[in-house]
Amino acid sequence: MSERILFTEWESPCGTLVLAGLNDRLVMSDWKNGWHHEAILKRFAKMTKCPFVQGTSPVIAETISQLQEYFALKRQRFDLPLLFIGTDFQKKVWRALESIEYGKVVSYGDIARTIDNPQAVRAVGGAVGQNPFSIIVPCHRIVGSNNSLTGYGGGFEAKKYLLTLESKNSKEPLQLMFS
């Protein structure tokens, strides 16, 4: 039998997530109704040739448990075996996102500098927009250079919810522009 990606939907306090695993690694925690969800599914189909099959697995169950802890303000970092499916550049950006501290925000320019490519701000924005690990690889912590909220796969309200949640549990409240 060929490999397959198991997936299930999970209702978070701010929207439905599609959680997916391949073997014993998580490959997706993405917004079901997110603007980039179809593009991510197409990339996975092209790069893995694995079908998506509804079901669950130990890594999906553990992901749900850790997400529940996060929303209950009992977890600030995720400890899950992730399998990044993307280009080398995308993977580099996603790894940089993992370094953003809980309750903090950075700009696309900050990430471009983190990966030693300060001229790649737009390319970084594209890679952030293709992150298949919403919440877990914290792309919601990316804001505009003036601390304004920028686009997010889960939508403006989900991003605002996540940043407000983290701000409640952070030593220093975030200074954001919710326009």
Side-chain angles (χ1 to χ4, degrees), residues 50-113:
C50 295
F52 272 73
V53 177
Q54 192 160 5
T56 191
S57 68
V59 74
I60 291 172
E62 180 60 24
T63 301
I64 291 170
S65 176
Q66 289 191 26
L67 284 166
Q68 289 170 331
E69 291 171 355
Y70 169 83
F71 283 107
L73 300 176
K74 295 178 181 173
R75 175 175 290 276
Q76 294 185 359
R77 294 193 64 83
F78 293 90
D79 183 22
L80 297 162
L82 305 180
L83 175 60
F84 291 107
I85 298 173
T87 67
D88 289 342
F89 181 80
Q90 288 171 328
K91 291 174 188 178
K92 192 173 191 178
V93 169
W94 300 335
R95 286 187 188 100
L97 294 177
E98 288 183 297
S99 69
I100 305 170
E101 292 180 42
Y102 180 93
K104 304 286 185 193
V105 293
V106 301
S107 71
Y108 295 101
D110 293 329
I111 295 297
R113 286 185 290 282

Side-chain angles (χ1 to χ4, degrees), residues 96 105-116 121 124 142-145:
V105 293
V106 301
S107 71
Y108 295 101
D110 293 329
I111 295 297
R113 286 185 290 282
T114 296
I115 64 168
D116 295 323
V121 175
V124 164
I142 302 291
V143 296
S145 58

Side-chain angles (χ1 to χ4, degrees), residues 30 35-41 43-44 85-86 90 94 124-133 139:
D30 191 34
W35 60 266
H36 66 264
H37 186 63
E38 288 300 318
I40 290 172
L41 291 176
R43 181 176 75 239
F44 280 23
I85 298 173
Q90 288 171 328
W94 300 335
V124 164
V128 169
Q130 290 297 311
N131 172 24
F133 295 107
C139 55

Side-chain angles (χ1 to χ4, degrees), residues 14-15 31 140 152-163:
C14 57
W31 301 102
H140 61 278
Y152 182 60
F156 178 81
E157 289 304 317
K159 185 170 187 165
K160 185 176 174 182
Y161 181 96
L162 295 169
L163 292 174

Side-chain angles (χ1 to χ4, degrees), residues 155-174:
F156 178 81
E157 289 304 317
K159 185 170 187 165
K160 185 176 174 182
Y161 181 96
L162 295 169
L163 292 174
T164 301
L165 177 80
E166 290 185 11
S167 184
K168 289 178 187 176
N169 201 29
S170 181
K171 293 176 184 159
E172 300 171 28
L174 294 174

